Every structure is written in C-alpha cells, then in structure tokens.
Amino acid sequence: MFERLNEVKVLRDPVHGYIHIDLKVVWDVLNSAWFQRLRRIRQLGGAVVVYHCAEHTRFEHSLGVYEIVRRMVTEVPDLSRELNEKEKVTAELAAMLHDIGHGPYSHAFEGVTNTSHEVYTCRIIEENTEITKILEDACPGLSKDVADVIRHESSNPILSQLISSQLDADRFDYLIRDAYFTGTKYGEFDMERILRTMRVDNGRLAVKESGVYAVENYIMARYHMYWQVYYHPVARSYECVLHMLFKRLKDLGTRKLDPSVIPLFIPIIKGKKIPLSTYFDLDEYACAYGFAQLVHHKDPITADLARRIRDRDLFAYADSTPSFNRKMRSTLKKAGYDLNYYWGRNEVEQNPYKPYSGEFSGSIWVRMKDGSTRELSNASNIVYSLIHGPTNDDNKVFFPDLKKK
Ligand code: ZN
C-alpha cells in the first residue's frame, strides 16, 4: 500500500546506532522544510546553559522517537501481529512529527506565546502545509489520522500509547538522548529489555513481569533527569530572564516601536495568533539575532534583559521563604530594580509515576506470570514506595545578583 524506497536509508545515530527508513513518505517528511526546521530548535530549553554539550536538537530526537516506534511495531510480536500496515505507518509518522510544532527554547517559549506546541503540531500537519501534502499524497486522509494519534483521538488508542503515555517512545528517546548529551548517567536505562518484554494486554500496552526491573530503572532515570537536568535552577533562571524580556516588551507595547525590535517578535508582543508562515521563521537562530538587536533598545530594562540572555548573565536564585523574599525584595527596590521584571518565582514538582492519572498518561500495566494483569505500583515494591512517599517539590525565587553590580 505504501511506496517503499529502492533501498533502506540508514542514518547514524549515537543513541540508537542506526535510524532505518524504508518508506517514501517518511523520507519525504524528513526532507521537508518544516522537518528540517527542527535542526534549528534545540531539545533542551534552559538546560543548554548548564550542560555545555547539550546542543542536540528536536531534529535528532524526532528521528529517534520514529526509530523506537518503528522497532516497536516490527519487533514486538503482539504489535506487529495486531496492527495493520496503515496503523504501523501512521504511528511511525506520528512519532516523527510529534514535536514538529515546537517553538524555540523548548517549553520556555510556550509561556511567552501562551500556546502549547501540540496546537502548532496539529496545525502544521493538517493546515495545508508541505507536510499535509506529503501525507495526503501518500494516502488520502493520512494527515488527519496522524494528527488524531497525537491528539489521543485515534480509532486505535494503542497508537497514541506508543508515542505518549507513561511508557512511550518519546520518553525513551529523550531520557537516553538527554543523558548522553548532558553527560549525566542517571538517564540511562535498559530500553532493549523493556522492548523485549513489551506486550499488548486487553488493547493496551503492558510489560511482562520479568521486565519490571527494567521499568523500575526507567522510572528512577526519569526522576533523576528531572531534578538534575530539566529542573536545574540555572536552567529555570535562564527561562525566567527570557520570560521577563517578553513581559517587558509586551508592557512597552507596539505604539512607538523601537527600531531594535525585529518584525518576527511583533505578533508575540501583540499577543496575536501567530500565522504558520511566521511560526516557521521563529527558530532559535532568529531569536538569538532578535535578542542581540534588543541589546541596543533605548529602554534600559529591555536592553539589560536581552544582554543577560546573550551573555548568560543570569539571575541568582534562592529557596522561596516569606522572610527571605521580604528582605531581598526590599534590598532590590533600594538598589533601583523594578521588581516587575527583576523578581521571578517558580515552583516545580515531580512525581516519578502517577498511576491512573487520566486517559492521556495512562498507567503502566504488568502481565504477571499467573496470567493476571496488575498496575505497576501493585507489581513493584520500589514504585509502590515511591508513589506513597511525599511529593518532591522545589519553590525558588530569581533575582539579579547584587554582588555583580
Ligand atoms: Zn518529544
């Protein structure tokens, strides 16, 4: 049904060894301008300024998720047997395209534009772009099918589970890839073992009891990566300064626009719906240029915040407590800082695993030796203790380092 390439294309990848592409539609998506744009969006938002080698992009991550899903639908016997060809290809394409709508600086920018990347992802797949045409040429109706998998509205829910659940190809790839490029070892886990023990149980993904240790290891890896990498306070400081810069630009408005504001930033400042053609241009290269221009803005706050981003002169941070906050805020005010732009607060929390947490994330199911099926925390003592312990959270405040002034 789907056209195959004359020979399988193999792309070298430090995490998976090789990425295998044998379908023309996948190859065409890879070569589209929208997919190539992902080379200009790095995988980690603020964590790039903490881990200096973590310059990897959404491009290689998307290919990695595709490769894992391709392996799942061909190498996991239950999946290879139960899914038809169209479902397999749809899942592979959804894996490849699941992050196509990501804006610059990862999730930090979602707060600036007030739109989640999933919304853009589905628009890029369905709103008559080059991607839509490639999918429709391969099979009429395919663009909606692929977007439905990403929206969790697919007629076969297992396709969505492969890409987005608590045990999915997206998490497998970003944990291993981010661990590799940051140099942290915590993110590593035995994905091969999980794939070998993966089964389909009553229409949902499950692992055999013998795979539970590998799943425990994966949950711990995720937990450690969150605290060591994704929630690193310096990464959050970077995101805070970025947020403050756009807040300042929005507050200044567009009535008397400074010539240092690049046209690409105007729809963001106006808070308008960003057209896809503008969104396409909005990559990290363009933003970095935009920030470099803003360093010359006549408003000293804008110029200072832009310089801070360009030169990685970030805010200091401390645990948020009423007495510290009161003292620090008064010191900053005395030093002449406008606290609307020089005082940020950010609280993060992380549950390593949430059973029964709604249809989107789903639970992890384990098929026991006796043939019964259990939810993971009832099959693993470690996971049981983890989810019944206190939730780990971290509440921090961010402000200029006065010692540097
Ligand atoms: Zn992803």
Side-chain angles (χ1 to χ4, degrees), residues 43 58 61-62 65 95 98-99 102 107 117 163 169-171 173-174:
Q43 177 71 13
R58 294 272 161 194
H61 163 64
S62 300
V65 180
H98 79 285
D99 276 345
H102 248 292
H107 297 281
H117 74 273
I163 291 141
D170 184 22
R171 290 179 192 193
D173 186 81
Y174 76 63

Side-chain angles (χ1 to χ4, degrees), residues 282-298:
L282 202 62
D283 57 37
E284 290 185 10
Y285 294 6
C287 283
Y289 170 72
F291 300 150
Q293 293 299 301
L294 288 175
V295 171
H296 308 294
H297 200 290
K298 65 178 181 304

